[in-house]
């Protein structure tokens, strides 16, 4: 039987009929843009011919009849088809807590979500608010704001935020009168959630991208109770507080993510002051919050364990460049870890593509978490 081939045409389904002992194959193809109808007919007893017959395939059983049609689209129409598996966050609104410059993971996550179509709101630490907003306004971040389609990421609104304090009653007097907080108001977690509710009504995505340990450079044995609890408060409980206050305005099917680090489960000398404990608490809380937020609000909760990045905040650790070098040499993938790679992972986790993923720690570190031996150890050189 002859084969009919139409280059650049894409076929989709249609009809079949079975009713005659005589094998008759008829094909009808409607080609968009040309009004061309081709009918191919052939039988065991006659040569192939072209006729304007309807599509039909006939076999011996008169009781079974199924019809199908074949539709082909021209190359021009085919161009309109979207190939691949896109992350589509159009119509979604995200609040990213902890964006204060353009070189951290929080910024990268905001860009990835914006590139996928989400509306972006950010919460910026109050003492950094003025510099951040000024830089935005003067275009200093314009190069960093560029999205893959050439447009600039639009931050719809920037909210002052200090996630260490849940309500105005929690703010000590010395902070209220601190000149770094002068000119800003309504910046506790509860007040920011209320402001977002008033301004936008609801959100779909909540991102926790903040941490602080005032004694991070101290070994754990030298860390004070105050410093330890401060690290826990700013780096892990702040996520609990954010979700506690934002969950009531999160749409069902929404998602929340935070950022953790491998020090939660492995010893990283120099990452002290209770920060390793704070990250361990954050990961444990992720599992519990996934259950509670899932049952209460149909919201997913995950955390990303990201590799070291030379951001402004990370430089407070003091040896971040050495950590980056160590990761490059010892990770399975010997390449620089980019902030955008963490942003892309975050976009996936908050998208419908990850609708069954919750309570998970997702590693984005070039595979460093899998290693149990440092390949650059002098011991291995012997």
């Amino acid at each position: 039987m002859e084969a009919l081939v139409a280059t650049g045409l894409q076929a989709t389904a249609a009809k079949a009929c079975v009713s005659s002992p005589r094998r008759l194959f008829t094909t009808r193809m409607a080609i968009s843009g040309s009004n061309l109808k081709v009918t191919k007919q052939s039988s065991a007893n006659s040569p192939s011919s072209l006729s304007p017959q309807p599509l039909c395939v006939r076999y011996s059983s008169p009781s079974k009849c199924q019809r199908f049609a074949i539709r082909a689209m021209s190359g021009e129409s085919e161009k309109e088809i979207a190939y691949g598996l896109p992350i589509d966050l159009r119509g979604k609104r995200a609040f990213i807590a902890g964006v204060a410059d353009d070189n951290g993971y929080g910024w990268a996550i905001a860009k990835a979500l914006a590139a996928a179509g989400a509306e972006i709101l950010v919460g910026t630490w109050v003492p950094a608010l003025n510099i951040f907003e000024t830089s935005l306004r003067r275009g200093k971040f314009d190069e960093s704001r560029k999205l893959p389609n050439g447009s600039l990421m639009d931050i719809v609104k920037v909210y002052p935020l200090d996630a260490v304090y849940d309500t105005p009653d929690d703010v000590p007097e010395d902070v209220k009168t601190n000149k770094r907080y002068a000119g800003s108001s309504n910046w506790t977690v509860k007040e920011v959630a209320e402001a977002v509710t008033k301004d936008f009504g609801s959100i779909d995505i909540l991102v926790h991208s903040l941490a602080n340990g005032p004694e991070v450079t101290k070994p754990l044995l030298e860390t004070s109770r105050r410093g330890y609890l401060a690290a826990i408060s700013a780096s892990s409980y702040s996520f609990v507080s954010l979700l506690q206050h934002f969950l009531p305005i999160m749409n069902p099917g929404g998602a929340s993510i935070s950022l953790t680090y491998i020090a939660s489960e492995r010893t990283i000398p120099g990452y002290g002051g209770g920060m390793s404990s704070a990250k361990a608490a954050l990961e444990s809380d992720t599992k519990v919050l996934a259950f509670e937020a899932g049952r209460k609000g149909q919201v997913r909760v995950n955390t990303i364990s990201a590799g070291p990045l030379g951001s402004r905040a990370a430089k407070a650790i003091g040896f971040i460049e050495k950590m980056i070098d160590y990761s490059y040499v010892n990770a399975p993938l010997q390449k620089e870890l980019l902030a955008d790679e963490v942003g892309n992972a975050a976009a996936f986790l908050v998208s419908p593509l990850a609708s069954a993923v919750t309570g998970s720690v997702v590693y984005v570190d070039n595979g460093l978490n899998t290693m149990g031996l440092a390949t650059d150890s002098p011991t291995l050189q012997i």
Side-chain angles (χ1 to χ4, degrees):
M1 187 175 71
E2 294 181 4
L4 179 64
V5 179
T7 305
L9 302 180
Q10 181 172 347
T12 61
K15 291 184 180 180
C17 181
V18 183
S19 62
S20 169
R22 180 186 179 192
R23 295 185 64 191
L24 178 66
F25 297 88
T26 309
T27 302
R28 176 173 178 171
M29 187 172 291
I31 304 177
S32 62
S34 65
N35 294 322
L36 174 65
K37 294 183 180 178
V38 180
T39 301
K40 177 185 170 206
Q41 182 177 352
S42 67
S43 72
N45 303 321
S46 66
S48 299
S49 62
L50 291 178
S51 68
Q53 300 301 316
L55 167 72
C56 215
V57 179
R58 302 185 185 277
Y59 294 97
S60 60
S61 174
S63 63
K64 296 181 180 179
C65 184
Q66 180 184 9
R67 297 186 177 273
F68 64 91
I70 298 175
R71 177 181 301 168
M73 293 174 289
S74 68
E76 181 178 353
S77 298
E78 187 176 3
K79 293 178 183 178
E80 299 174 1
I81 301 174
Y83 292 95
L85 194 63
I87 293 177
D88 187 357
L89 297 177
R90 288 173 296 178
K92 305 295 184 182
R93 182 176 298 114
F95 181 85
I96 299 100
V99 178
D101 55 40
D102 66 339
N103 68 352
Y105 284 137
W107 178 271
I109 292 172
K111 276 187 68 176
L113 302 190
E119 184 177 65
I120 304 299
L121 315 175
V122 303
T124 301
W125 189 44
V126 183
L129 180 66
N130 184 53
I131 294 176
F132 180 68
E133 289 190 314
T134 300
S135 297
L136 270 177
R137 188 169 55 252
R138 293 181 178 177
K140 291 185 177 180
F141 296 153
D142 282 0
E143 187 63 30
S144 300
R145 289 171 60 202
K146 285 185 178 179
L147 300 177
N149 65 2
S151 65
L152 298 182
M153 173 177 65
D154 180 28
I155 298 178
V156 178
K157 189 162 184 177
V158 179
Y159 292 87
L161 172 68
D162 192 330
V164 168
Y165 305 107
D166 301 324
T167 70
D169 292 339
D170 299 325
V171 183
E173 194 61 33
D174 63 324
V175 174
K176 290 179 180 178
T177 58
N178 190 308
K179 63 180 182 179
R180 296 194 300 171
Y181 287 76
S184 296
S185 60
N186 302 320
W187 42 259
T188 64
V189 175
K190 181 176 184 292
E191 290 172 304
V192 173
E194 290 173 345
V196 172
T197 304
K198 180 180 178 181
D199 293 339
F200 299 97
S202 65
I203 65 169
D204 303 278
I205 299 163
L206 176 66
V207 179
H208 176 276
S209 176
L210 48 87
N212 184 46
E215 298 180 20
V216 66
T217 58
K218 291 184 179 180
L220 190 57
L221 280 174
E222 298 176 14
T223 300
S224 67
R225 181 183 297 271
R226 182 176 181 179
Y228 184 95
L229 294 178
I232 295 287
S233 175
S235 308
S236 56
Y237 185 78
S238 56
F239 182 46
V240 177
S241 180
L242 280 167
L243 193 54
Q244 182 183 105
H245 288 88
F246 277 88
L247 185 60
I249 66 167
M250 293 188 72
N251 295 317
S256 180
I257 56 172
S258 62
L259 292 170
T260 185
Y261 181 52
I262 192 65
S264 63
E265 54 187 281
R266 307 285 176 84
T267 301
I268 306 293
Y271 192 74
M275 282 302 300
S276 58
S277 305
K279 293 301 185 182
L282 182 64
E283 292 181 16
S284 177
D285 291 342
T286 294
K287 295 175 173 60
V288 178
L289 291 171
F291 170 76
E292 295 183 357
R295 291 296 182 89
K296 188 174 182 179
Q298 299 179 47
V299 168
R300 297 180 295 106
V301 183
N302 294 289
T303 188
I304 295 176
S305 184
L309 177 74
S311 64
R312 179 185 60 81
K315 290 177 181 177
I317 299 172
F319 64 106
I320 187 64
E321 296 300 331
K322 292 182 179 179
M323 294 169 70
I324 293 172
D325 291 342
Y326 176 89
S327 177
Y328 183 89
V329 172
N330 292 287
L333 300 178
Q334 286 190 293
K335 66 179 186 63
E336 179 186 2
L337 177 66
L338 304 177
D340 287 349
E341 293 173 306
V342 172
N344 293 339
F348 162 72
L349 286 173
V350 303
S351 77
L353 297 180
S355 59
V357 181
T358 193
S360 298
V361 178
V362 178
Y363 297 92
V364 185
D365 61 357
N366 286 329
L368 186 64
N369 70 92
T370 65
M371 301 300 295
L373 184 67
T375 59
D376 65 343
S377 171
T379 308
L380 300 179
Q381 308 304 318
I382 298 176

